[in-house]
Amino acid sequence: MGDDPGRLYRLDGVAHIAGVINDEETFVECPEGANEETVRRYARAYIMMLLGTQLFADKSGNRIHIRWLPFVARLEEMGGYNWGSAALTWLYRCMCRVANRHVVKLAGPLQLLQSWIFWRFPGFRPAGYDAFSWPLASRWSGYNPGISEKGPRVQMARLRIDLLQARDFIWMPYSTPDVLQVVHLEVLEPRHTMLWRCVTFLIYFAVVEWHQVDRVLPQFGGVQPPPHPALNIDFLMSKDGRCGDRWFPSHLQHWHLHWETRADHVLRFDVVADPGPSHEFLAWWHQHGKRFLSPEMYLGDPRGIPILVEATQRGAGRVPDMDRVDGVPDRRRVERRARVGTRRSQREWR
């Protein structure tokens, strides 16, 4: 590979090469008989590629942020970080941004989102992917939806969601014996399963997302009661790390402390044989939720029954209540961040 002095620099005593990580220029295959330092260098490049293009991918598609260098500099310490919660945080933030009508592309670990959909919605699974191993998301690695028109595919997907029945959704697909036999036993240790049931904040640098698992208890084998009011942290949606050179554990100290005490916020509930929503939750959802995604003209023929206007629309007065954060004023009515996540939002709102 060669060490070009113009591209070689050191971070925490470890040599790095500045350049493009691809299959043609710098890293192809680790040569046979390579010494330990060369193997570690290739391992760092591979990990950087996973971080920048898989777990924490952005819309550039071919760039990796320099902030990952301190993490790959010390390979022995990488196992001490909670990469799963950070990837989930980034996925939540990307899904929040794409909900804005000014944002047209979705970033983030989309292969995890696709795997979650296929495991829980059997009707959406492509045919021919019955064999799987660990990791579970690799089951759909060869799936390619094709290049059909996006508009008709979106309309058809919305209609299929509207026509879903209770039996068309699997609450606990990972608890079946054929899945458990390929899952690493370490994943099922109490110190990890406890984290699944923590109502806490997930943190990815400056990105803070509320992990409110008390609203999805059937995924853990419980009965879903009416949810508590959601925590209003809309002001955190504009914080993405582009706010100057700040040390986030100090600048966002309150949220980091909540993560450190996550063991104190583990949900306690009874595990039942047939998990699902309670009657009280269904009544709450019918009052606050938008029941159908498709227009009435698409739902008329398949169902053959008239659909009330109240069922397809949700009035402004039915929006669920939200708890305010202590010490933070609620300025949603004054500062309506209609373009949060776009390039123009930060400059204009300052």
Side-chain angles (χ1 to χ4, degrees):
M1 179 170 56
D3 293 341
D4 184 0
R7 301 173 58 198
L8 187 65
Y9 64 97
R10 291 185 175 272
L11 178 67
D12 292 343
V14 178
H16 295 269
I17 289 183
V20 180
I21 299 178
N22 55 28
D23 295 333
E24 299 178 358
E25 181 183 344
T26 306
F27 298 95
V28 184
E29 291 184 2
C30 186
E32 296 183 4
N35 56 31
E36 181 180 357
E37 180 59 29
T38 301
V39 174
R40 294 170 70 89
R41 186 180 300 171
Y42 273 83
R44 292 188 184 97
Y46 179 72
I47 294 173
M48 287 282 288
M49 181 194 67
L50 291 180
L51 295 176
T53 63
Q54 299 296 322
L55 294 179
F56 305 101
D58 55 20
K59 295 180 182 179
S60 66
N62 59 356
R63 298 178 182 177
I64 301 176
H65 203 283
I66 194 175
R67 61 188 173 195
W68 295 116
L69 289 179
F71 295 91
V72 300
R74 299 178 293 273
L75 295 178
E76 294 78 8
E77 300 180 7
M78 295 199 68
Y81 300 105
N82 198 312
W83 297 100
S85 63
L88 193 60
T89 307
W90 181 233
L91 177 60
Y92 286 168
R93 178 56 56 87
C94 292
M95 294 178 66
C96 289
R97 286 179 173 177
V98 81
N100 191 305
R101 62 190 181 95
H102 297 279
V103 180
V104 297
K105 293 183 178 180
L106 177 61
L110 302 183
Q111 71 277 11
L112 300 181
L113 178 61
Q114 174 184 271
S115 178
W116 185 91
I117 294 173
F118 288 165
W119 277 103
R120 297 179 183 273
F121 292 89
F124 286 85
R125 296 176 184 174
Y129 294 89
D130 298 329
F132 59 89
S133 60
W134 179 263
L136 298 179
S138 63
R139 177 178 181 179
W140 326 101
S141 59
Y143 171 67
N144 187 355
I147 54 175
S148 59
E149 294 292 334
K150 182 177 67 174
R153 284 195 290 121
V154 171
Q155 293 180 359
M156 183 58 62
R158 289 175 176 174
L159 182 59
R160 293 174 64 182
I161 294 175
D162 292 333
L163 299 179
L164 285 175
Q165 303 295 323
R167 62 181 181 274
D168 298 330
F169 184 83
I170 302 177
W171 284 106
M172 302 178 66
Y174 309 132
S175 62
T176 57
D178 54 346
V179 174
L180 292 177
Q181 67 181 357
V182 300
V183 175
H184 288 194
L185 296 180
E186 183 181 356
V187 179
L188 304 177
E189 293 181 1
R191 62 191 178 98
H192 294 306
T193 58
M194 178 193 69
L195 182 61
W196 304 345
R197 296 178 283 109
C198 288
V199 181
T200 184
F201 292 99
L202 303 181
I203 301 173
Y204 166 64
F205 292 105
V207 178
V208 179
E209 289 288 339
W210 186 228
H211 189 51
Q212 206 158 4
V213 296
D214 55 331
R215 295 197 168 204
V216 288
L217 290 187
Q219 294 191 23
F220 308 100
V223 176
Q224 180 63 56
H228 298 291
L231 187 65
N232 178 18
I233 56 173
D234 290 350
F235 65 97
L236 288 174
M237 295 296 103
S238 61
K239 301 183 183 301
D240 56 2
R242 304 173 186 174
C243 51
D245 187 12
R246 297 179 179 178
W247 178 239
F248 299 126
S250 177
H251 180 60
L252 304 174
Q253 183 179 13
H254 172 74
W255 319 106
H256 282 261
L257 291 177
H258 199 284
W259 166 257
E260 294 294 335
T261 60
R262 57 191 177 276
D264 300 332
H265 306 282
V266 179
L267 289 178
R268 311 293 180 183
F269 54 89
D270 295 330
V271 178
V272 298
D274 187 18
S278 64
H279 294 289
E280 295 78 8
F281 174 83
L282 293 177
W284 175 89
W285 181 78
H286 278 278
Q287 181 181 5
H288 298 288
K290 185 176 177 62
R291 304 183 202 176
F292 302 114
L293 302 176
S294 304
E296 184 178 355
M297 60 179 296
Y298 293 112
L299 293 174
D301 292 339
R303 301 205 173 192
I305 58 175
I307 299 178
L308 302 178
V309 177
E310 292 79 3
T312 59
Q313 298 179 356
R314 180 181 61 192
R318 297 184 181 181
V319 176
D321 297 330
M322 300 181 69
D323 286 342
R324 293 175 56 180
V325 180
D326 296 337
V328 179
D330 187 355
R331 300 187 296 269
R332 286 178 295 165
R333 295 181 180 272
V334 179
E335 296 182 4
R336 187 176 299 275
R337 299 178 182 271
R339 295 184 299 275
V340 168
T342 62
R343 293 183 177 179
R344 298 182 299 172
S345 61
Q346 306 300 325
R347 180 175 65 256
E348 292 185 0
W349 284 110
R350 284 178 187 149

